[in-house]
Amino acid sequence: MRRIALVTLVVDDYDEAIRFYTETLGFELVEDTPRPDGSRWVVVRPGAESQGTALLLARAKGEAQRGRVGDQTGGRVGFFLHTDDFARDHASMLAAGVTFLEEPRHEPYGSVAVFQDLYGNRWDLLQPAD
């Protein structure tokens, strides 16, 4: 079986990103391992029960990568966080200070609202339709 296991998200600071993803979004820190070159292998995922793709938080190196922090997809929604309870997670994220760029909407494919992470990357919070 094949699947996409990790997607790299370029960040400014490991600890800042870990705090946002674990404390604000409620993700689980799967791994935080120092590497010989001074970088770290940092993996977070939406929750312990999640079997989907995890994020590799990679600190930007050099100007080209620093220029991509927060704009990895050219302003498009690039990440999709599925939920089984949109209202619960939307309220929880608002209470935690997450910035939503729109009001929730109900589309044929499900309930959705666009939010941004601490760097400005756009995400969909999405509860797919049954």
Side-chain angles (χ1 to χ4, degrees):
M1 180 174 104
R2 296 171 24 166
R3 67 182 178 92
I4 297 174
L6 292 172
V7 172
T8 298
L9 186 67
V10 182
V11 301
D12 277 333
D13 179 82
Y14 292 118
D15 295 323
E16 173 184 68
I18 290 169
R19 273 191 305 278
F20 177 81
Y21 284 98
T22 60
E23 296 175 15
T24 304
L25 293 187
F27 282 33
E28 172 190 29
L29 179 62
V30 176
E31 184 174 356
D32 184 357
T33 304
R35 297 177 48 106
D37 65 359
S39 66
R40 290 157 56 185
W41 185 263
V42 177
V43 178
V44 296
R45 68 178 174 208
E49 70 285 349
S50 175
Q51 297 300 313
T53 305
L55 294 176
L56 173 66
L57 303 178
R59 187 181 60 208
K61 294 180 184 176
E63 286 305 310
Q65 289 182 18
R66 278 192 285 282
R68 293 289 180 231
V69 171
D71 189 29
Q72 295 185 136
T73 59
R76 293 184 56 103
V77 170
F79 306 95
F80 300 83
L81 181 60
H82 282 200
T83 177
D84 62 351
D85 188 334
F86 181 88
R88 174 199 65 211
D89 289 340
H90 183 260
S92 173
M93 291 167 70
L94 280 173
V98 172
T99 300
F100 279 85
L101 303 177
E102 63 183 21
E103 292 299 315
R105 48 185 217 279
H106 305 285
E107 303 287 349
Y109 57 84
S111 298
V112 63
V114 176
F115 70 94
Q116 63 185 21
D117 68 16
L118 75 163
Y119 297 114
N121 293 300
R122 291 175 180 231
W123 289 70
D124 271 358
L125 175 63
L126 174 65
Q127 180 177 357
D130 293 331

